[in-house]
Amino acid sequence: MNRSLLRRLPSLLWLWLLWILLWSTPSPLVVLGGLLVAVAVLAVSRFPEVSRQITVRPLRLLALCVRMTGNLVVSAAAVGWAALRHGPRVRAAIVELPLDADTDLLVTLATLVTNVSPGSLVLEIDRHRGVLYVHVLLVAASGEPEEARRKLLATERRLVAALGRRPDPSTSPTSRKDDA
């Protein structure tokens, strides 16, 4: 198989899955039609290749997915309970979240992971400074925004550990030559 085609395979699979999810009924016609549409979109557009600098670490990615699934359940329960108990008086804060993520793909994934974390919603992404501004619910005491920031940072670090970049060999300490 052609290397260029292999690099575009993730985009093809993503477009195909998106088509099937949008139709919400995976009939044979939808599945086959989605594959044809995904191939056509990639054939006529200059879709970017998926970066080769991403390293997928399956066990860490699986652990992150399990944790995020649990967070979805906790988030629904916590926000639902707060809405029933406090109504519009639920206290919230906006926290600044510095990112370890250094590629557009990782920043996007960090944003998605943050949005499914209990009671949090990304309001702004500052790519220049590498910061997310996050609206956090359920802040009752003065120290709770810091606790929310700590939890969100830990989740983002897990994401980077699961999908972070490969080190660039040209900047690796073992590949540099001393001029002296």
Side-chain angles (χ1 to χ4, degrees):
M1 198 179 253
N2 187 353
R3 278 187 169 201
S4 173
L5 188 62
L6 269 176
R7 286 190 207 122
R8 294 174 66 121
L9 188 61
S11 297
L12 175 79
L13 293 174
W14 171 247
L15 288 171
W16 190 20
L17 176 65
L18 185 61
W19 179 269
I20 293 168
L21 290 173
L22 286 172
W23 281 95
S24 75
T25 308
S27 70
L29 182 62
V30 168
V31 171
L32 181 60
L35 180 60
L36 293 174
V37 168
V39 168
V41 166
L42 288 176
V44 299
S45 69
R46 293 194 39 106
F47 234 71
E49 295 177 355
V50 173
S51 172
R52 290 174 276 164
Q53 296 177 337
I54 298 296
T55 303
V56 177
R57 296 171 188 92
L59 292 177
R60 290 182 179 179
L61 184 59
L62 178 64
L64 177 67
C65 289
V66 168
R67 182 177 288 266
M68 293 315 303
T69 301
N71 280 352
L72 283 171
V73 173
V74 170
S75 177
V79 172
W81 174 249
L84 289 173
R85 185 169 178 222
H86 301 290
R89 296 182 317 270
V90 174
R91 298 207 43 193
I94 296 175
V95 296
E96 187 176 272
L97 187 67
L99 293 172
D100 287 337
D102 56 354
T103 66
D104 289 338
L105 179 61
L106 283 176
V107 170
T108 301
L109 292 172
T111 301
L112 291 171
V113 166
T114 301
N115 281 337
V116 298
S117 295
S120 63
L121 176 70
V122 174
L123 298 174
E124 183 178 345
I125 303 168
D126 185 345
R127 278 295 280 138
H128 181 68
R129 291 182 48 221
V131 174
L132 295 181
Y133 293 95
V134 183
H135 182 268
V136 182
L137 285 179
L138 313 175
V139 179
S142 62
E144 288 182 9
E146 235 3 89
E147 178 66 15
R149 178 183 290 124
R150 186 190 62 73
K151 287 179 182 177
L152 291 171
L153 281 171
T155 301
E156 191 258 346
R157 286 189 183 113
R158 280 189 211 83
L159 173 74
V160 172
L163 298 172
R165 297 171 63 131
R166 287 185 208 124
D168 183 4
S170 64
T171 60
S172 167
T174 60
S175 67
R176 292 185 191 145
K177 295 181 182 177
D178 293 332
D179 293 329

